[in-house]
Amino acid sequence: MAKIELSFYPGCSSQKGATSSNYLVSAQTMCEELDIQLNEIPDWNCCGASIGYGGGGELPRLTLSARNIALSEEHNKGQEIVATCAACWLSTREAKERLHEDEQMFKDANAALSEAGLKYEGEANVRHMVEVLVEDIGFDGIKEKVKKPLEGLKIAGYVGCQTNRPFGIAGESFENPMYLDNIVDAVGAESIPTYEKKVQCCGGALAFSEPEKSQEMIKGILEAAYDNGADMIVTPCPLCQANTEIYQDQINEKYGTKFKMPIVYYSTLMSVAFGRSAKDAALDGHVIPAKQLEEIANK
Amino acid sequence: MSDLNTSMIEKYRSSFLKEVEANVEEGEWVKMCMQCGVCSGSCPLGKHWDHPPQEIFMMIRANKREEVLGSDSMWMCTSCYNCIARCPRGLPITHIMHGLAVYSKRLGLTPKKQPTAEFSQIFWDNLMKKGRVNELKLGLSMNFKDGFGEGVKNAMANQKLGQNMMKAKRMNPMEAFGGHGVKSPGDLQKIIKKAQEIEESKIQAAK
Ligand code: SF4
Ligand code: SF4
Ligand code: SF4
Ligand code: SF4
């Protein structure tokens, strides 16, 4: 297959020393194996995520994303924009659609961008990495690259909200998406298609501002994974990953549970299954180590 | 009471619905709600909302201006997009909730110390400094937002979490000095300032 070239929007949380830096490392490894070349958008800025609305209002928020798209159109001409963070993908795609529908907004965003000599056209497609996997590579394409099937592992696919709604992955249902389960199967592990919390919200950014309320939901997500006999959870979203992993101690303390559930990315699974090292899969970046994956990687 | 609030009350005295349509992001959709209740049943933190989305839409039409704009319900929206995916009438409910929250804040009607309103502002200010979010400072300002004493207490409660994250190289204490950013934060700030001015002038024109 020919090399796929994409204009890459990594997002703040994947930068070195940030909460999902391990996502970036494993995604890069995965892309190397799949012959996908990621061309980072030069000088990209934060998209404001979903929570930025309360500080930024409408136009300033849309303009943040318009700047990223404009930079991509200028420097990575003709390439589709791809994001690994659900919130980055969502804000960027949402901004593009809003500026497309609303002519005044389009003009206003361009008036703002011209302050720094930038011009937004809104031609580039905005995609999530998962779309590239499902639509361009395909489950069979993933299967072909597997050198070390993740045999014997039972993995709950936690899709969460924003990779799934409002845009979602073409052909998948909002209520019961299957692509993550299909990826789990493709790398040789056992999926749990009836994992009932697969699209449950974890609280998102409100895990910061409303910790008790959010942790109650996170508890449900973890509990259901245990009830289904999962060895670990896999997710496509950096915030889902962080929220379900890093608060397990606090939840255990509050509810007397004994959660110790590893939470990994689809790119972690693929990096290991494609035969790469624990380091390339960024297994050292987990607060709760995924020991079974480490064993397979070190074999 | 803010001047903006007073003039909006005068201008739209007869219809809060019209006020919402003219000033709230995606507000023109409110009248399309058919009160089926699907959104309220889908809202993850719904049990904590005094007025879930369906009720808010009903209250807007019933002219319950103070109750809606002074409520902290819409600040509990997690942006999960359940409601949007399910609403039979296709209302962009998430954005209307965000829009109502921002509008209430503009008018000075948001309840004091609403934690998500505060966090949202802290997040925005953090990202505007360098163009990218500095997670360490974000965490610190959130911990310390209620003063030094509370801050130390919060930091102690999250100490183990922080140590775990540092061990996994997913939190970097050096971020407190400098950290990631765009090449020219000044340029970015100029762009956003302009966007804010345009948005502000639209609101003033609506007065
Ligand atoms: S959504 Fe999060 S990670 Fe993505 S750019 Fe925005 S703040 Fe950064
Ligand atoms: S599950 Fe949580 S982090 Fe993931 S998209 Fe939903 S709110 Fe955001
Ligand atoms: S789901 Fe849509 S139509 Fe039904 S109550 Fe909510 S907003 Fe109204
Ligand atoms: S997007 Fe907001 S309003 Fe809609 S269901 Fe989720 S939390 Fe509720």
Side-chain angles (χ1 to χ4, degrees):
Chain A
M1 204 194 290
K3 197 178 195 83
I4 301 177
E5 273 203 63
L6 298 164
S7 180
F8 182 45
Y9 178 37
C12 314
S13 61
S14 66
Q15 298 169 101
K16 200 158 181 265
T19 44
S20 68
S21 44
N22 53 340
Y23 189 9
L24 182 65
V25 172
S26 59
Q28 277 163 338
T29 302
M30 175 193 86
C31 285
E32 279 168 27
E33 294 298 315
L34 294 172
D35 220 11
I36 298 171
Q37 184 178 321
L38 300 175
N39 304 319
E40 185 166 328
I41 300 176
D43 206 39
W44 56 268
N45 55 263
C46 175
C47 64
S50 302
I51 192 64
Y53 77 85
E58 191 175 6
L59 182 63
R61 196 183 75 231
L62 297 174
T63 306
L64 277 178
S65 290
R67 180 179 176 274
N68 288 326
I69 299 176
L71 286 171
S72 176
E73 287 176 333
E74 184 180 332
H75 299 282
N76 295 337
K77 215 172 172 42
Q79 294 169 26
E80 296 187 305
I81 298 173
V82 71
T84 39
C85 164
C88 297
W89 174 52
L90 176 63
S91 342
T92 313
R93 185 161 160 187
E94 211 162 63
K96 197 194 141 185
E97 294 194 358
R98 195 78 64 84
L99 295 177
H100 182 73
E101 282 159 16
D102 189 330
E103 216 175 309
Q104 189 58 44
M105 230 23 127
F106 179 89
K107 283 189 197 138
D108 293 345
N110 264 312
L113 288 174
S114 68
E115 292 283 307
L118 289 168
K119 189 160 177 280
Y120 168 86
E121 311 211 32
E123 299 295 334
N125 242 346
V126 183
R127 303 174 81 198
H128 191 285
M129 182 63 85
V130 163
E131 292 182 288
V132 177
L133 294 176
V134 173
E135 290 160 11
D136 301 358
I137 308 283
F139 302 116
D140 288 334
I142 295 172
K143 217 185 241 165
E144 270 168 32
K145 302 273 178 182
V146 173
K147 296 194 182 110
K148 291 178 176 169
L150 308 182
E151 271 158 9
L153 286 189
K154 205 167 168 187
I155 306 178
Y158 175 46
V159 180
C161 313
Q162 296 192 346
T163 319
N164 189 40
R165 298 181 298 262
F167 299 120
I169 308 300
E172 293 276 356
S173 97
F174 291 134
E175 312 294 349
N176 191 15
M178 299 298 290
Y179 63 87
L180 204 47
D181 299 317
N182 292 336
I183 291 178
V184 168
D185 292 334
V187 295
E190 186 189 339
S191 64
I192 310 173
T194 52
Y195 173 49
E196 67 272 28
K197 294 285 188 184
K198 57 164 75 168
V199 296
Q200 162 72 45
C201 173
C202 68
L206 275 70
F208 265 107
S209 53
E210 299 274 13
E212 279 99 42
K213 297 185 180 85
S214 301
Q215 287 182 14
E216 194 187 339
M217 297 197 286
I218 297 170
K219 175 173 162 274
I221 295 164
L222 296 165
E223 218 154 42
Y226 276 106
D227 290 346
N228 279 289
D231 295 303
M232 62 188 71
I233 290 177
V234 61
T235 169
C237 166
L239 193 56
C240 301
Q241 196 284 337
N243 279 350
T244 48
E245 184 185 41
I246 66 183
Y247 299 113
Q248 289 189 31
D249 280 344
Q250 293 182 6
I251 293 172
N252 287 341
E253 212 165 288
K254 168 142 194 226
Y255 293 97
T257 44
K258 293 202 173 64
F259 295 149
K260 208 180 175 193
M261 177 67 73
I263 319 279
V264 301
Y265 296 107
Y266 58 88
S267 48
T268 323
L269 297 181
M270 282 194 236
S271 297
V272 175
F274 294 166
R276 299 288 294 260
S277 68
K279 187 153 184 290
D280 290 347
L283 288 172
D284 55 348
H286 288 276
V287 170
I288 299 171
K291 293 222 175 69
Q292 290 150 301
L293 286 179
E294 284 171 14
E295 276 163 29
I296 299 177
N298 292 332
K299 237 186 339 219
Chain B
M1 204 183 275
S2 76
D3 291 350
L4 189 59
N5 189 33
T6 320
S7 46
M8 290 300 189
I9 292 175
E10 270 161 29
K11 175 160 184 201
Y12 295 101
R13 193 176 294 278
S14 54
S15 172
F16 181 39
L17 176 63
K18 288 223 164 62
E19 181 178 352
V20 169
E21 286 175 342
N23 299 295
V24 171
E25 185 171 339
E26 305 278 10
E28 66 279 8
W29 278 91
V30 171
K31 61 174 182 300
M32 284 297 288
C33 171
M34 61 180 200
Q35 289 293 304
C36 68
V38 166
C39 52
S40 298
S42 308
C43 203
L45 291 181
K47 65 174 178 186
H48 304 286
W49 295 41
D50 287 339
H51 310 297
Q54 169 215 357
E55 206 172 298
I56 287 188
F57 296 139
M58 182 193 59
M59 290 164 74
I60 291 174
R61 287 193 282 198
N63 259 333
K64 306 243 183 241
R65 186 179 189 275
E66 307 327 300
E67 289 92 327
V68 170
L69 293 178
S71 157
D72 82 338
S73 291
M74 54 274 186
W75 289 102
M76 275 181 248
C77 170
T78 62
S79 306
C80 77
Y81 290 79
N82 254 331
C83 49
I84 291 195
R86 293 178 185 165
C87 172
R89 278 287 179 88
L91 271 79
I93 302 159
T94 316
H95 303 290
I96 306 173
M97 292 305 124
H98 293 181
L100 282 168
V102 169
Y103 188 57
S104 101
K105 188 169 154 217
R106 258 199 189 113
L107 300 179
L109 300 174
T110 300
K112 296 256 157 348
K113 300 237 163 256
Q114 208 302 319
T116 304
E118 289 185 315
F119 178 60
S120 184
Q121 190 62 51
I122 290 172
F123 184 93
W124 182 263
D125 295 343
N126 180 310
L127 94 83
M128 281 322 298
K129 282 214 181 76
K130 297 208 141 203
R132 294 183 190 172
V133 164
N134 181 317
E135 291 177 339
L136 189 73
K137 284 188 193 158
L138 182 66
L140 288 176
S141 6
M142 193 59 190
N143 278 344
F144 285 90
K145 75 182 171 56
D146 294 324
F148 190 73
E150 271 303 301
V152 171
K153 222 163 67 196
N154 290 334
M156 293 300 283
N158 285 317
Q159 193 185 21
K160 189 162 169 215
L161 193 157
Q163 284 168 348
N164 284 340
M165 294 295 279
M166 278 184 225
K167 229 172 26 205
K169 298 202 185 53
R170 283 160 60 188
M171 195 187 268
N172 181 359
M174 296 312 284
E175 283 269 322
F177 319 93
H180 301 282
V182 296
K183 276 184 220 129
S184 166
D187 274 358
L188 181 73
Q189 286 155 3
K190 252 199 290 185
I191 293 175
I192 298 305
K193 187 157 167 274
K194 181 78 186 172
Q196 278 163 338
E197 281 165 16
I198 297 174
E199 186 145 293
E200 189 60 31
S201 70
K202 283 190 208 164
I203 305 248
Q204 291 302 333
K207 255 207 311 206

